[in-house]
Amino acid sequence: MTRKSYIFTSESVSEGHPDKLCDRVSDAVLDAFLTQEPNARVACETFATTGRVVVGGEVGLADKAATAQMMEQVEGIVRDCVRDIGYEQDEFHWNTLQVQNYLHPQSAHIAQGVDRDGAGDQGIMFGYACRETPELMPAPIQYSHAILRRLAEVRKSGQEPTLRPDAKSQLSLRYEDGVPVEVTSIVLSTQHALESQTSDDIRAIVEPYIREVLPSGWISEKTEWWVNPTGTFVIGGPDGDAGLTGRKIIVDTYGGAAPHGGGAFSGKDPTKVDRSAAYAARYLAKNVVAAGLADRCTLQVSYAIGVAKPLSIYVDTHGTGRVEAEAIERAVAQCMDLTPRGIREHLALTRPIYARTAAYGHFGRAPDADGGFSWEKTDLIEALKAAV
């Protein structure tokens, strides 16, 4: 039997976290290549440490001259990302850091399968949706993201000039009858400018914004606050800890409230099903819940390298379904072409829309007018209803 009363915790990290900075660079490189050619192949990895950013991986454009031109732009892309995030520290400054570029052409053995419209790799991908928030996301991860996004806004606007880019948040929520009702603990660690600032000083800065973001009544006198619990946090970002692309996959998805197939998203073009099929799975799960077919939905798809058709589709409605899970499985296959090409075309994924996904979650975001976060649309409701 599914538990109805419990405490569940999720964490988020800011755009200035070393791993997230690397995700941002990788996705910005991807966007730059997609701007040149919608069918660009990119698998870009980034490593950041004190005074240095290293970019490597595979890229592919039909035009070799365009490829060479893009290679020359990579250093500028890196510096622009670091500057926008806000790093101007002595040991990690956008203008003085060293950039090393080791991008190279895509493997012909991988390309041969993708060129036949097959999947770029084998793997399993999951999508999830629930009714805990208006965005149909689990509440702990959604509000953990919201806290850090709000702190980034006031930092960048100059409203809170002593905040710095590197930060982490964590929320523990108590559920009654499956509904989040109370914050039992809040953990917030944020980099700051002054050695003299204490944990109490930082709490005084961040607490009003945290209360602003969280639903009314969730914070009580019993809520535990842990703000910069280790004390001073002036040295941060890649100077304080190295970063790598793809190390925050649970932050990127559902905060541990749902399964994860294991593949990272950032830096991968949409021929990689690690990314595109995970987006499709979220899209379908969200539309299932939005259509009223279930209050919770986990959806899994699986692929083999070089094979276009998914090997399996699995749906679990966790006892909340209003129709049989098997009927939903048949319906989603009927309503959406889940081949890699079908996913790219249905969600219009061959556009430069990825740098914005690199922080504060790939899911639970509002669709953008230019096609960003297209997988968050709920435009499949009527088709799903008709199919079941």
Side-chain angles (χ1 to χ4, degrees):
M1 174 179 280
T2 302
R3 292 181 64 190
K4 294 293 185 179
S5 298
Y6 53 89
I7 295 173
F8 191 82
T9 303
S10 294
E11 72 155 350
S12 179
V13 297
S14 71
E15 63 199 75
H17 185 281
D19 296 331
K20 278 288 138 204
L21 181 145
C22 291
D23 286 345
R24 169 72 174 276
V25 169
S26 292
D27 274 335
V29 170
L30 168 61
D31 280 353
F33 275 86
L34 289 174
T35 299
Q36 291 294 316
E37 186 177 304
N39 294 318
R41 304 286 167 75
V42 177
C44 177
E45 310 293 343
T46 303
F47 167 67
T49 187
T50 302
R52 187 182 303 269
V53 174
V54 181
V55 179
E58 300 181 333
V59 296
L61 292 173
D63 186 335
K64 292 184 178 179
T67 302
Q69 183 183 31
M70 288 306 306
M71 291 295 191
E72 294 177 358
Q73 295 181 27
V74 169
E75 179 174 338
I77 292 169
V78 172
R79 295 190 190 281
D80 287 345
C81 288
V82 176
R83 178 170 54 185
D84 183 67
I85 290 169
Y87 277 114
E88 295 186 344
Q89 299 170 192
D90 290 343
E91 299 300 325
F92 196 80
H93 193 296
W94 63 268
N95 194 39
T96 58
L97 60 83
Q98 296 183 44
V99 179
Q100 295 171 260
N101 178 9
Y102 297 104
L103 292 170
H104 60 84
Q106 183 185 43
S107 163
H109 291 173
I110 293 176
Q112 65 185 352
V114 178
D115 291 342
R116 294 196 299 265
D117 291 334
D121 202 354
Q122 70 179 48
I124 57 174
M125 299 84 204
F126 288 92
Y128 181 73
C130 62
R131 293 198 176 277
E132 294 179 20
T133 63
E135 299 82 6
L136 304 185
M137 282 287 288
I141 187 66
Q142 191 70 8
Y143 289 109
S144 292
H145 288 322
I147 289 168
L148 293 182
R149 191 182 303 117
R150 182 67 179 125
L151 292 180
E153 289 171 356
V154 297
R155 171 178 63 84
K156 289 184 170 183
S157 72
Q159 189 171 338
E160 297 296 346
T162 63
L163 295 183
R164 291 295 180 263
D166 195 357
K168 301 179 80 171
S169 64
Q170 184 171 288
L171 284 181
S172 298
L173 299 187
R174 183 170 64 83
Y175 287 70
E176 287 184 359
D177 295 325
V179 177
V181 296
E182 178 186 24
V183 179
T184 61
S185 66
I186 298 168
V187 183
L188 191 286
S189 294
T190 181
Q191 184 186 12
H192 53 95
L194 306 175
E195 293 273 357
S196 60
Q197 288 175 299
T198 66
S199 297
D200 289 340
D201 294 331
I202 301 302
R203 176 172 173 176
I205 292 171
V206 302
E207 182 172 344
Y209 302 110
I210 293 174
R211 289 183 177 273
E212 171 190 321
V213 164
L214 295 178
S216 177
W218 277 19
I219 296 176
S220 71
E221 293 181 356
K222 296 185 295 182
T223 301
E224 294 183 358
W225 289 77
W226 301 98
V227 177
N228 281 20
T230 62
T232 304
F233 183 12
V234 172
I235 300 172
D239 184 32
D241 190 10
L244 286 170
T245 300
R247 282 206 302 198
K248 289 293 179 284
I249 59 176
I250 302 303
V251 170
D252 286 343
T253 53
Y254 307 103
H260 193 295
F265 300 158
S266 289
K268 296 178 180 178
D269 73 72
T271 68
K272 279 74 171 175
V273 285
D274 274 349
R275 181 170 221 162
S276 57
Y279 288 177
R282 160 64 179 172
Y283 172 68
L284 291 169
K286 184 175 183 180
N287 276 271
V288 165
V289 173
L293 303 180
D295 291 334
R296 290 175 61 200
C297 180
T298 299
L299 187 146
Q300 183 204 56
V301 288
S302 67
Y303 292 86
I305 189 168
V307 179
K309 184 180 178 180
L311 305 184
S312 64
I313 301 172
Y314 166 78
V315 166
D316 183 358
T317 57
H318 308 277
T320 70
R322 294 171 180 82
V323 297
E324 294 296 324
E326 293 84 355
I328 298 175
E329 290 167 355
R330 292 191 296 270
V332 298
Q334 178 181 327
C335 294
M336 185 176 183
D337 178 359
L338 286 171
T339 65
R341 176 181 289 275
I343 293 170
R344 295 196 301 274
E345 292 178 351
H346 190 111
L347 298 178
L349 297 180
T350 57
R351 291 179 283 185
I353 56 174
Y354 296 103
R356 70 193 73 171
T357 70
Y360 314 120
H362 291 246
F363 307 132
R365 310 279 288 272
D368 293 327
D370 66 352
F373 301 103
S374 60
W375 49 93
E376 291 296 312
K377 293 181 179 180
T378 52
D379 55 1
L380 215 58
I381 290 174
E382 296 306 320
L384 285 169
K385 287 181 177 179
V388 299

